[in-house]
Amino acid sequence: MAPQTSETLTAERILEATEEVLRRHGPAKATVVDVARALGVSHGSVYRHFRTKAALREAVTKRWLDLTSQTLSGITADEGRAPEARLRDWLTALFEAKRRKAGDDPELFATYMVLTADSGTAVGEHLADLTGQLTSIIEAGVASGAFATADPAASARAVFHATGRFHDPGYSEVWERPGIEDDFTAVVDLLLHGLRPQRPS
Amino acid sequence: MAPQTSETLTAERILEATEEVLRRHGPAKATVVDVARALGVSHGSVYRHFRTKAALREAVTKRWLDLTSQTLSGITADEGRAPEARLRDWLTALFEAKRRKAGDDPELFATYMVLTADSGTAVGEHLADLTGQLTSIIEAGVASGAFATADPAASARAVFHATGRFHDPGYSEVWERPGIEDDFTAVVDLLLHGLRPQRPS
DNA sequence: CGAATGACAGATTTCAATATCTGTCAGCTG
DNA sequence: CAGCTGACAGATATTGAAATCTGTCATTCG
C-alpha cells in the first residue's frame, strides 16, 4: 500500500502526492499523515519541506491556479492579433478552462474551491496576474485605437468583475445551464462595445 | 416566556414570529417548535398554515426579497426621467440596498443567505422580477434613442449578470472593501457606454 | 553531519448513544 | 364543528468520550 520509491524526498514529489491524496479523500479528510503514508515516509519528513499543513495546501493550490494563468498567457502574449479578438478569446478561454475543470471532475473542483477559500495569498496573486494580463491586452487596444479608456488597469478590473459569473467558482453550478453560452456572449458583446471609442474618427 | 396574545393565528403572525426566531436563533437552530412557542401555540397549529417547514421558510424568504423589489420598482416606474439616469440609479439602489442589509445586520443577512440557498422558486421569481424591471428601463431607452439593442431582455440579463459582484450575496464580504465604489462605477460606466448607440445619428 | 524518525502534548475529528425535531392524526375544547 | 392540541414514529441534531491528527523535537540512521 505504500509505494516506496527510493528517490529523494523533494517538495515537488510531496505536492504530487498531496494532489493525489486530495483527489482520493477530499479536502476534509486529507491529512498530512495520509500524504506521508502515500510517500512511504514519516509525517515528520513532510514537515521538513512545508512548515504547516496550511502551507502545503497553499502550495498545491498555487500549482493548480498557475495552470490556468499559463494557458491564458499564451493569448495575452500573441501581440500579432487584434486586441479586440484577443480580449474576446482570452475571456472565452478563461470561461472554457474553468467550465471544463468544473464539469470534468466536479469533486476535484469542489476540493479546490475549499482550498482556495482559505488560501492566504495564492488566490489574490492569481487574480492580480489575470487582471494584469487583461490590462496588457487593453493597453495594446488603446495604442492601436481599438479601445478608448483613461485607465486601462481600471477597465481591466471592470471587465474582469463584469465577467465574474463566467469564471468565479461560486457560479460553477450555472455553467451547465442551457443558454449560458448566450449569456456569456451577450455580456462580452456589451463590454467590447463599451470599450470602443465613442465615435471612431 | 410565551407572549400569549388572544389574536387569531394568521399566516402573517406566524411569519412575523418566524422572522424573530430566525433573528434570535439563526437558520440552523430555528425550529418550528420555537416558532410555536413564541406564539404560545402548539407546533401542530403552525402546520395548519404551512404544510412543511420548508414552505414556512420560503414564505419568510419571499417576504424579505419583496422588500428590495418594491424599493426598486419606484425607480423603474418613474418614466419621467431619462433612461440612462434611471438605469444608473436603479443599479446603485440595488447595490446600496444589498450592502446596507449585509452591513447593518451581518448575522441576519447570513441567515437569509442560507434560506435563499435552498429556497425553491422564491429566488428565481425574485431574479425574474428584477430583470423584468431592467428590461422595462432599457426598452424605454431604446424608444428614446438613448440605448441601442436588438433584444432589450437579453441586454437586461447581460447588465444584471455583469453587475453580479455588486448584488449577489455571495460577494457580500467584498462590499466593505475600500475601492468597491470605484469598481462599481467603472463597471456601470462601461455597461452604459456599451448600451449607447454606436454612432448617434 | 544532515536527513529522517517516531513519541508526545494539545487540538481536532469521529462515532454512537441520547435528545430533539418534523410532520401526522385521533381526539379534545370552546 | 372549526380550530387546536399533544402523543407518536421516523428523521435529524447534539453531546461527550475515544480516536486521530498537527506540529515539535530529542534521538537514530546512513
Side-chain angles (χ1 to χ4, degrees):
Chain A
M1 272 297 164
Q4 168 98 37
T5 76
S6 52
E7 293 173 52
T8 19
L9 189 60
T10 62
E12 182 57 26
R13 281 189 66 223
I14 292 173
L15 289 179
E16 282 164 17
T18 304
E19 213 167 31
E20 183 56 24
V21 167
L22 282 167
R23 193 187 303 274
R24 275 206 222 291
H25 295 66
K29 298 172 99 178
T31 73
V32 176
V33 172
D34 288 331
V35 174
R37 191 169 24 240
L39 288 162
V41 299
S42 82
H43 74 280
S45 301
V46 174
Y47 279 98
R48 176 163 299 283
H49 295 264
F50 296 93
R51 287 219 318 296
T52 64
K53 186 188 187 179
L56 175 56
R57 285 176 157 223
E58 183 149 2
V60 177
T61 304
K62 181 166 166 33
R63 212 164 175 263
W64 186 72
L65 294 173
D66 284 351
L67 287 181
T68 303
S69 303
Q70 281 163 24
T71 302
L72 295 172
S73 69
I75 297 174
T76 304
D78 185 4
E79 293 173 25
R81 297 183 58 233
E84 279 202 70
R86 265 196 288 156
L87 181 50
R88 183 181 289 275
D89 287 356
W90 191 94
L91 292 170
T92 305
L94 177 55
F95 179 32
E96 285 305 323
K98 291 293 183 84
R99 188 151 75 130
R100 208 174 322 107
K101 275 184 182 172
D104 289 356
D105 192 340
E107 292 191 21
L108 187 62
F109 190 79
T111 290
Y112 277 108
M113 277 183 68
V114 172
L115 293 193
T116 53
D118 42 42
S119 120
T121 61
V123 168
E125 285 163 12
H126 178 63
L127 299 181
D129 180 0
L130 294 183
T131 51
Q133 293 193 29
L134 269 180
T135 302
S136 130
I137 296 175
I138 290 177
E139 279 170 344
V142 170
S144 80
F147 299 147
T149 171
D151 184 345
S155 295
R157 286 169 57 80
V159 168
F160 193 72
H161 290 157
T163 51
R165 161 172 273 252
F166 309 103
H167 60 248
D168 195 311
Y171 286 105
S172 57
E173 82 281 358
V174 316
W175 296 342
E176 300 302 326
R177 294 224 273 256
I180 187 74
E181 307 263 10
D182 293 339
D183 288 344
F184 174 76
T185 305
V187 168
V188 172
D189 285 350
L190 193 55
L191 294 173
L192 282 174
H193 191 181
L195 281 170
R196 278 202 273 273
Q198 186 90 281
R199 300 161 195 242
S201 54
Chain B
M1 272 298 164
Q4 168 100 36
T5 76
S6 52
E7 292 174 55
T8 21
L9 189 60
T10 63
E12 183 57 26
R13 282 190 65 222
I14 293 173
L15 289 179
E16 282 163 18
T18 304
E19 214 168 31
E20 183 57 25
V21 167
L22 282 167
R23 194 186 306 272
R24 275 206 222 291
H25 295 64
K29 296 171 100 178
T31 73
V32 176
V33 172
D34 289 330
V35 174
R37 191 166 27 239
L39 289 163
V41 299
S42 82
H43 75 279
S45 300
V46 174
Y47 279 98
R48 179 161 298 281
H49 295 265
F50 295 94
R51 286 219 321 293
T52 65
K53 185 187 189 181
L56 176 56
R57 287 177 155 219
E58 183 149 3
V60 177
T61 304
K62 181 167 166 33
R63 216 166 173 260
W64 187 73
L65 295 173
D66 283 351
L67 287 181
T68 302
S69 303
Q70 282 161 24
T71 302
L72 295 172
S73 69
I75 297 174
T76 303
D78 186 6
E79 293 175 22
R81 297 182 59 233
E84 277 202 72
R86 266 195 287 156
L87 181 51
R88 184 182 288 277
D89 288 354
W90 191 95
L91 292 170
T92 306
L94 178 56
F95 179 32
E96 285 306 324
K98 290 294 182 84
R99 188 152 74 129
R100 207 173 323 108
K101 276 184 182 171
D104 289 355
D105 191 341
E107 292 190 20
L108 187 62
F109 190 79
T111 290
Y112 277 108
M113 278 182 66
V114 172
L115 292 194
T116 53
D118 42 44
S119 120
T121 61
V123 169
E125 285 163 13
H126 178 64
L127 299 182
D129 180 1
L130 294 183
T131 49
Q133 293 194 27
L134 269 180
T135 302
S136 130
I137 296 176
I138 291 179
E139 280 170 345
V142 170
S144 81
F147 298 148
T149 170
D151 184 345
S155 295
R157 286 170 56 82
V159 168
F160 193 73
H161 290 158
T163 51
R165 161 172 272 251
F166 309 104
H167 60 248
D168 196 310
Y171 285 105
S172 57
E173 83 281 359
V174 315
W175 296 341
E176 302 301 325
R177 295 223 274 254
I180 186 75
E181 307 263 10
D182 294 340
D183 288 343
F184 174 76
T185 304
V187 169
V188 172
D189 286 349
L190 194 54
L191 294 174
L192 282 173
H193 191 183
L195 281 171
R196 278 202 272 275
Q198 185 92 280
R199 301 160 193 241
S201 55

